[in-house]
Amino acid sequence: MPPRDKKKTTPAINLLAGGTAGLCEALSCHPLDTIKVRMQLTTRSANGSRVGFFGTAGSIVSNEGFFALYKGLGAVITGIVPKMAIRFSSFEFYKTALSNKETGKTSPTGIFFAGLAAGTTEAVLVVNPTDVVKIRLQAQHHSMTDPLETPPRYRNAAQCAYMIVREEGLRVLYRGVVLTALRQATNQAVNFTAYTELKAYCAKLQPDLVELPSYQHMILGLISGALGPLSNAPIDTIKTRMQREKATVGETALSRVARISRNLVQREGFLAFYKGITPRVMRVAPGQAVTFAVYEQVSTFLETVPALSGRAVLCNED
């Protein structure tokens, strides 16, 4: 989410406000992400029918318990603060670099490319490793309600990451990084551009307001957040299947993408690329609404803190 135009935010504010917003988003929307991953990983049932959103959710809860919907949450929370800090800080950096040197304003095209670069940056530094761990945890069908059942292979995010690195190597945490970067880049490019333009339009319609109310930030976030998943669903489905697999000797990343894509089309049809799109939109859109609203409120409060606002003044004098 872009900082307000009236004042540049500092890295400290980006870290605190972004981390708080990301934590709220993860806690409220993670079950939808688990359902999305399970839908992307499952094939058709024996009678050829597809398992839908509610069927997948019901199966998880009945067979594994309600808290199975929160599998992989530890990996998400571990990466959410640095991800948000990198997203907001890098976006501001790229936005400034692409701004008009005379007016200081950044065009919609500049906003789009700044979001594209920010999404790529967060994907490489944070998102892909945590995604690999999260998906391995979410893919387990172990029942959390039956103490007699064989314990799952991966118990938590830290142990999962350790076993992946020990058994498969550090490079596995970056499997699918190109697809993750494409997904995050398109998400943030669309997200930042849509939110910035919608926010400016709403501000123009309400010139008497110093700041838009929280409910408007949430509505704008909901709209902008829904656009990204609709544009890159096939990328996300291929990435999820790739990150679940163990390494195959001699197979390149490109050949792996081609094999997964070919199998999807041949065995399940073209619409398989859009598996999990319902929970993904249902997760990302309200997630962005929460992120935008919380970020705006927390950053507004932090700008009143003397130490942080003092740093903002020093930053603006550069």
Side-chain angles (χ1 to χ4, degrees), residues 101 183 219:
K101 303 308 177 186
R183 184 194 67 180
I219 293 173

Side-chain angles (χ1 to χ4, degrees), residues 166-177:
R166 187 186 69 177
E167 298 176 358
E168 303 175 56
L170 183 64
R171 293 180 59 183
V172 174
L173 293 178
Y174 284 89
R175 179 178 295 160
V177 67

